[in-house]
Amino acid sequence: MQRERLQDYMGNGSPVTPTFPASEMERRLAAIRRYMADSGIDAALFTSYHNINYYSDFLYCYFGRRYGLVVDHDKSTSISAGIDGGQPWRRTFGGRNITYTDWQKDNYFHAVRGLIPGVRRLGIEFDHISIDTLALLKSEFPSVEFVDIAQGAMRQRMIKSAAEISHIEKMTRIADIGGAACAEAATVGTPEHEVALHSTATMVREIAKTWPHGELLDTWTWFQSGINTDGAHNPVTSRRIEQGDILSLNCFPMVAGYYVALERTMFAGQPTDEHLRLWEFNCRVHDRGKELLVPGNRCCDVARELNEMYAAENLLQYRSFGYGHSFGVLCHYYGREAGLELREDCETVLEPGMVVSMEPMITIPNHLPGAGGYREHDILVITEDGNRNITGFPYGPDHLILPFKN
C-alpha cells in the first residue's frame, strides 16, 4: 500500500504564545545568516536540540526519529515526525514546518530535499551528526558539499541578548525556590527521592505560574546524601538521610530549552571540625572565583588561579572537573557551549553578555576525615564593568547547617 510521504499539520490549532518576541528570533536568524554569507554557506540543516530550539523555539522529542531546521537566506523551516502532530508547527517561529511520515525510511531526506533545491554548500553540525546520518546525507545529496556550522552557531549562542538574560534571571529565581524546598524537606530519615520530588514539584508549579503558556518538561532535582555526594551528577536514590550527613542540593528548572542550576552543600546537623574546615575553604574558592568572572579574563587563567588556592591547602588532587560553564539552551542530555568553560584548556576571553557559572567542587574520599563532595554554584552575567550575580540562595555554614530533626 502506498502512503503519503509528507503530512500537512499547518493550521491544526493556532500558533502558541512564543517564548521570545519576534524581534529576538529575527535577531538570531539574521546573525546566523550573516555567518552563512561570510562562510559561503547556501543553507544550513540544524539537527541538534539546542540549535533547532535556539533558532525556532521548537524543542523536539527525539525517540529514535530525525528532526531538523533548514535555514536559508530567506526563510527557516522545521522538519518533524508525524508522531508529533501539529505541535511542531504551532511552536516553530515563522510558522513554516514540514512533517514526514514513517511509511518509508528515507522520508526525512525527502523532506530535506524539498527545502534545499540548488544548494551546493550545506552547513551541518559536525559535533552532532552521527556517522550513520552523515553517510545517508552524502548518499542522498552527492553533489552537495557539507561544511561545519556548529562552531559558528555556538559562538553566537555564547553571547546572550537582553531578552535571554531576562529569561534566565526569572529561572534562577525559580531555582532558588527549589533550593528552599530542598532545605525544607531534608530531614533525618527522609529518602533522597522524597526531597527531590518536593523540590521539583515546587519548581514546576512556579514555572506554570510564571509562563502560563509554556510547555512543562525537563525540570528536575538531584539531591544527594552521604557517599552519594562524591559525584556532581550522581542520580537520586532511596537512601535515607542520616544525622551528620553531608548533603548536596542540585535544582534544575528548565524552561523552553533553557537550563539553569542551583547547587549547594548542606549538613544534616552539626558537621565535624574537618567537614567544617573543608566546607569553609571551598566557599572561599567560590568567592574568589566569582571575583575573577570579569571582562578580559580568560577561562584558563581563572581555572589556574583557583587551582593555586586548592594546591596551597593540598586539596587540588580532590578537584574533579572545571570551575563553571556557559548557560543558555543546553542541558545534561543535550547540548553544551564547550567554548565557554572555566577549564585549563579553554582560552576564551570573557565578554559582556556571557552567562557563566562558578561552581568549585572537591571530593574527599570516604576513608578520610571530612569525606564527601563539596560544591557551591552561582550563575553570573558578565557586564561591561564586572559581573552581576543572579543567584540569590545563601551558602556556607552560617546558612545551611540544617537543624537535626526527624
Side-chain angles (χ1 to χ4, degrees), residues 222 224 231-236 250 252 259 263 321 332 359 375:
W222 281 325
Q224 302 137 347
H233 299 160
N234 291 352
V236 170
N250 309 262
F252 307 107
Y259 157 92
E263 301 172 10
F321 62 93
H332 68 310
E359 49 179 306
R375 183 170 70 262

Side-chain angles (χ1 to χ4, degrees), residues 28 35 49 65 67 83 162 168 224 294 356 361 364-365 392 406:
R28 300 178 187 189
Y35 176 84
Y49 288 104
R65 293 173 171 86
Y67 289 77
I83 194 171
I168 292 169
Q224 302 137 347
V294 296
V356 190
M361 179 176 180
I364 309 302
N406 60 10

Side-chain angles (χ1 to χ4, degrees), residues 117-136:
V119 166
R120 289 289 174 261
R121 283 171 54 86
L122 182 68
I124 60 174
E125 297 175 70
F126 281 16
D127 63 358
H128 183 263
I129 291 281
S130 67
I131 295 174
D132 178 55
T133 301
L134 181 59
L136 289 169

Side-chain angles (χ1 to χ4, degrees), residues 244-316:
D245 267 350
I246 187 171
L247 310 171
S248 289
L249 68 83
N250 309 262
C251 298
F252 307 107
M254 292 278 290
V255 180
Y258 279 74
Y259 157 92
V260 302
L262 170 71
E263 301 172 10
R264 290 289 186 260
T265 303
M266 304 190 300
F267 276 83
Q270 187 63 33
T272 67
D273 289 346
E274 183 63 4
H275 278 113
L276 197 59
R277 182 186 77 84
L278 292 163
W279 189 11
E280 289 176 336
F281 182 74
N282 205 55
C283 289
R284 288 201 294 276
V285 175
H286 184 56
D287 291 338
R288 178 56 182 156
K290 289 187 288 184
E291 293 173 352
L292 295 172
L293 297 182
V294 296
N297 277 357
R298 296 191 306 170
C299 293
C300 55
D301 295 332
V302 173
R304 289 177 184 132
E305 179 167 335
L306 299 183
N307 281 348
E308 291 174 2
M309 291 183 68
Y310 280 133
E313 292 289 319
N314 195 29
L315 293 172
L316 185 57

Side-chain angles (χ1 to χ4, degrees), residues 15-295:
V16 300
T17 301
T19 307
F20 295 101
S23 58
E24 168 64 12
M25 301 306 294
E26 289 163 355
R27 178 195 69 81
R28 300 178 187 189
L29 288 166
I32 198 63
R33 284 174 176 139
R34 284 194 297 272
Y35 176 84
M36 290 162 57
D38 292 343
S39 305
I41 296 174
D42 301 317
L45 170 62
F46 291 107
T47 52
S48 66
Y49 288 104
H50 40 283
N51 276 323
I52 291 176
N53 184 68
Y54 185 76
Y55 292 111
S56 75
D57 201 24
F58 163 51
L59 187 61
Y60 66 80
C61 177
Y62 174 59
F63 237 99
R65 293 173 171 86
R66 293 184 174 91
Y67 289 77
L69 179 74
V70 172
V71 178
D72 63 22
H73 291 276
D74 300 309
K75 59 188 179 298
S76 61
T77 308
S78 61
I79 303 171
S80 58
I83 194 171
D84 295 320
Q87 185 262 357
W89 170 75
R90 292 192 294 272
R91 283 231 63 94
T92 297
F93 173 71
R96 293 182 59 89
N97 168 262
I98 289 181
T99 300
Y100 70 93
T101 69
D102 286 345
W103 313 128
Q104 291 177 226
K105 286 187 175 180
D106 63 345
N107 281 353
Y108 173 81
F109 300 99
H110 176 70
V112 173
R113 182 175 290 105
L115 295 173
I116 61 168
V119 166
R120 289 289 174 261
R121 283 171 54 86
L122 182 68
I124 60 174
E125 297 175 70
F126 281 16
D127 63 358
H128 183 263
I129 291 281
S130 67
I131 295 174
D132 178 55
T133 301
L134 181 59
L136 289 169
L137 282 169
K138 289 179 176 179
S139 173
E140 293 282 342
F141 306 103
S143 63
V144 172
E145 178 187 359
F146 299 100
V147 296
D148 184 35
I149 199 167
Q151 297 305 306
M154 178 183 69
R155 179 65 191 175
Q156 292 185 3
R157 297 196 319 273
M158 281 163 46
I159 306 295
K160 272 59 183 181
S161 67
E164 288 181 280
I165 292 170
S166 174
H167 181 80
I168 292 169
E169 223 172 331
K170 292 176 184 176
M171 294 174 62
T172 54
R173 178 186 68 85
I174 289 169
D176 289 345
I177 291 171
C182 276
E184 175 184 61
T187 57
V188 171
T190 302
E192 292 175 359
H193 69 273
E194 291 294 345
V195 178
L197 287 169
H198 179 60
S199 169
T200 301
T202 301
M203 290 190 290
V204 169
R205 292 184 182 111
E206 187 63 24
I207 290 169
K209 286 170 54 180
T210 306
W211 288 273
H213 303 290
E215 296 173 343
L216 301 172
L217 73 164
D218 296 336
T219 292
W220 86 103
T221 301
W222 281 325
F223 180 82
Q224 302 137 347
S225 63
I227 187 65
N228 294 334
T229 65
D230 67 344
H233 299 160
N234 291 352
V236 170
T237 75
S238 58
R239 182 186 184 277
R240 294 180 181 272
I241 298 171
E242 300 176 7
Q243 185 178 0
D245 267 350
I246 187 171
L247 310 171
S248 289
L249 68 83
N250 309 262
C251 298
F252 307 107
M254 292 278 290
V255 180
Y258 279 74
Y259 157 92
V260 302
L262 170 71
E263 301 172 10
R264 290 289 186 260
T265 303
M266 304 190 300
F267 276 83
Q270 187 63 33
T272 67
D273 289 346
E274 183 63 4
H275 278 113
L276 197 59
R277 182 186 77 84
L278 292 163
W279 189 11
E280 289 176 336
F281 182 74
N282 205 55
C283 289
R284 288 201 294 276
V285 175
H286 184 56
D287 291 338
R288 178 56 182 156
K290 289 187 288 184
E291 293 173 352
L292 295 172
L293 297 182
V294 296

